[in-house]
Amino acid sequence: MLILRGEDGAREWPIQGELVIGRDPACEVHLADRQVSRRHAIVRKSASGFIVCDAGSKNGLWLNGAPVEGETPLSDGDEISIAARFKLFFVDADATAPLIFDQRGLRIDSETMTVYVNGQPLDPPLSGPQYELLVLLNKAGGALVSRDEIIDAVWPDEDAGGVSEDALDALVRRLRMRLSEVEPAHGYIVTVRGYGFRLDMP
């Protein structure tokens, strides 16, 4: 699987045979940037595992900081840099070692609603309201999110006046506690008095 993290969260592409990465909309991994070649790189499953190769790009391909020449094998957690503009992470679903691609920070898998902190999934999963709150804060990319915006996202069927300050503060407190189970030293959620909250990424 390839993973690209951005302001809107993570995008994921399973590797079943071959993935072409490039600017061309026909590519399986479409990166709309002028520095990316139309067909920039290829990730392919081989008899011995997975490989990555440059597809004749203009601005280069790197694996864990080293330029790629020819077909290069991939290992779980490898970082693939496209034209020094995009960083994709390779995750081998068959690997027995813990995922290392995301050792710092949060990752949200929208399909399974699984939240990873420093590469470790939260178990048990977040409750529905906790998950919705985290998704909202993550989409804001560190910007302030007002209490009213949170109420609209987490309790869409409730009038803003029908959700108490205590209920909202309790939800934030519980989410902080869940995230701190993996990383006690980082609070992640910052309270901005009189306004709302923001996500503080490490």
Side-chain angles (χ1 to χ4, degrees):
M1 177 183 295
L2 289 184
I3 296 176
L4 173 66
R5 295 187 64 196
E7 293 182 356
D8 297 329
R11 295 164 60 192
E12 301 180 355
W13 295 269
I15 308 168
Q16 297 177 337
E18 177 178 284
L19 287 181
V20 179
I21 305 167
R23 193 178 73 247
D24 191 323
C27 292
E28 288 82 1
V29 182
H30 175 223
L31 303 176
D33 189 286
R34 293 180 61 186
Q35 299 300 314
V36 178
S37 298
R38 292 185 66 82
R39 284 174 58 91
H40 198 105
I42 297 171
V43 174
R44 174 186 304 125
K45 189 170 185 177
S46 67
S48 57
F50 293 89
I51 60 97
V52 63
C53 63
D54 195 314
S57 70
K58 180 179 179 181
N59 292 315
L61 171 70
W62 291 264
L63 181 64
N64 300 323
V68 172
E69 296 181 3
E71 294 188 351
T72 303
L74 289 168
S75 299
D76 188 46
D78 278 350
E79 177 188 285
I80 302 169
S81 177
I82 304 293
R85 298 279 288 178
F86 296 91
K87 289 183 179 180
L88 294 151
F89 295 91
F90 170 72
V91 178
D92 187 350
D94 297 328
T96 57
L99 298 182
I100 59 173
F101 74 95
D102 197 9
Q103 291 187 352
R104 295 286 291 169
L106 295 171
R107 180 171 74 88
I108 301 173
D109 186 333
S110 59
E111 290 189 5
T112 63
M113 295 179 63
T114 302
V115 175
Y116 296 84
V117 179
N118 296 345
Q120 298 183 40
L122 291 182
D123 187 21
L126 296 180
S127 68
Q130 292 168 3
Y131 178 82
E132 293 298 333
L133 171 58
L134 185 58
V135 167
L136 178 65
L137 293 173
N138 187 55
K139 284 184 177 179
L144 295 175
V145 179
S146 72
R147 289 175 172 266
D148 286 346
E149 289 175 311
I150 293 173
I151 291 172
D152 288 344
V154 178
W155 294 282
D157 298 327
E158 293 282 346
D159 182 3
V163 179
S164 69
E165 296 270 324
D166 288 344
L168 180 52
D169 289 339
L171 175 62
V172 172
R173 185 167 59 252
R174 287 193 297 270
L175 179 55
R176 276 200 192 105
M177 291 175 60
R178 290 304 316 278
L179 298 176
S180 70
E181 291 173 5
V182 177
E183 190 173 17
H186 193 77
Y188 280 105
I189 302 174
V190 176
T191 300
V192 181
R193 292 187 179 278
Y195 187 85
F197 304 90
R198 67 178 180 85
L199 194 62
D200 179 27
M201 299 296 285

